[in-house]
Amino acid sequence: EGLGDGRAALVGAGVLQIGDAYISLGTSSWLSLISASAELDPDGGEDKIVFIEPGVFVCGGTMNAGGYSFDWMRRTLCEPETCAARAAGGSVYSHIDAFVTTSRPGSGGVLFLPYLLGERDPYLDPKVRGAFLGLSSHTTRADLCRSVMEGVAMHLNLFKQQLERTEQIKTMRIVGGGAKNPVWRQIFADVFDLPIIETNVSDEAGSLGTAVMAGIGVGLYRDISAVHSFQKVLSITRPQPENRAVYAALQAVFNDAYHHIKTTSHMLADITAGDYTRE
């Protein structure tokens, strides 16, 4: 028996009990939850498979451009921070974090739709395109950058809202390259209104899950709980109550935005078809 990369990361992240969930914040990103419910979302857009134990399921959704949106932002909007990091010999990400925090939660009313590569769940729409909404004469570059990070969190929170129709989320962990970013972890905590748990295996969750499953197969480990012996919690980022209202309001707008831009987005995709062969 074997398991795919997402399920390996789920085991490696320590997401083992009903109500446990995790965010994988890599180039593509997803949210998965362990559930006792076999019920499918009537609106679709939800993945669901049997977990390791009978009667237990893994459900969730995947977006195409999670970490990819951050990387696009870094390449496209963060040249000053890149130059500063190069001059100082430090990490560009710490410079970006410091810059992003000059924008307040809510990014001055700017909303980013992270559909740079089309979108998978819940829309399965390869022709949708990304967008900044709410630009004004007061919008700053920091607002744009922060809105990119918030937009990714809001799209994954869309999955969370869907999944909680059938199973309450009790714990939320985070893995992947983006898990190391404290500003992004705080955004996720505030958007999700949940504590976000970072462990020492954020980069190796998939490898750890694969190793533990192989160990069970050869009799080295008794069951998947062995994964906990390799883990320790590095941080728990808790939501800031003062940000709850602004993110709840923005989430409601975000949830409707795809449906409002879909027709225009498809028209633009048709006009520019063939222009992206360089990628």
Side-chain angles (χ1 to χ4, degrees):
E1 296 184 2
L3 69 172
D5 57 349
R7 302 308 168 235
L10 180 140
V11 173
V15 178
L16 311 180
Q17 303 295 323
I18 292 170
D20 288 348
Y22 85 114
I23 303 156
S24 178
L25 198 53
T27 301
S28 63
S29 300
W30 61 83
L31 186 149
S32 293
L33 167 69
I34 305 293
S35 174
S37 173
E39 180 183 349
L40 293 175
D41 191 303
D43 297 327
E46 175 188 328
D47 304 321
K48 181 164 285 190
I49 65 171
V50 176
F51 188 45
I52 297 168
E53 301 175 11
V56 182
F57 303 89
V58 179
C59 51
T62 301
M63 64 182 295
N64 280 343
Y68 184 92
S69 290
F70 185 96
D71 190 59
W72 173 85
M73 175 198 78
R74 177 187 60 80
R75 291 183 282 109
T76 307
L77 299 174
C78 296
E79 183 63 22
E81 289 68 44
T82 300
C83 291
R86 189 179 299 124
S91 166
V92 65
Y93 300 107
S94 61
H95 286 267
I96 291 174
D97 280 358
F99 175 63
V100 163
T101 55
T102 64
S103 173
R104 296 169 60 86
S107 302
V110 176
L111 200 65
F112 176 71
L113 307 185
Y115 309 136
L116 302 180
L117 300 172
E119 194 50 279
R120 290 169 66 175
D121 300 326
Y123 308 123
L124 299 177
D125 186 349
K127 293 172 69 174
V128 68
R129 295 291 180 261
F132 286 107
L133 304 179
L135 299 178
S136 75
S137 61
H138 301 291
T139 299
T140 67
R141 186 168 61 89
D143 291 334
L144 297 178
C145 291
R146 185 181 186 100
S147 74
V148 170
M149 300 169 75
E150 291 177 340
V152 172
M154 282 187 234
H155 192 79
L156 290 173
N157 192 42
L158 179 60
F159 301 151
K160 171 182 173 285
Q161 292 176 332
Q162 289 180 318
L163 298 177
E164 286 190 314
R165 296 173 187 173
T166 55
E167 190 71 62
Q168 181 182 0
I169 293 176
K170 298 176 182 177
T171 67
M172 181 68 68
R173 298 187 175 215
I174 189 167
V175 302
K180 298 179 180 179
N181 188 312
V183 173
W184 218 353
R185 291 199 305 270
Q186 187 63 61
I187 288 172
F188 270 99
D190 291 343
V191 170
F192 280 36
D193 198 21
L194 279 175
I196 303 296
I197 302 168
E198 176 201 14
T199 74
N200 61 318
V201 297
S202 61
D203 272 352
E204 296 83 23
S207 299
L208 177 58
T210 302
V212 168
M213 292 298 293
I216 294 171
V218 299
L220 183 61
Y221 304 125
R222 182 175 179 179
D223 55 44
I224 56 176
S225 66
V227 74
H228 291 311
S229 65
F230 298 97
Q231 293 179 327
K232 64 179 179 180
V233 172
L234 295 184
S235 71
I236 301 177
T237 306
R238 303 187 185 279
Q240 298 176 337
E242 62 270 25
N243 297 333
R244 183 176 296 138
V246 66
Y247 282 128
L250 281 175
Q251 186 73 52
V253 177
F254 182 92
N255 291 357
D256 288 337
Y258 164 80
H259 306 286
H260 291 299
I261 70 160
K262 178 179 177 179
T263 299
T264 301
S265 193
H266 285 197
M267 292 170 65
L268 290 171
D270 289 338
I271 291 170
T272 57
D275 286 356
Y276 300 100
T277 53
R278 64 183 181 275
E279 294 186 0

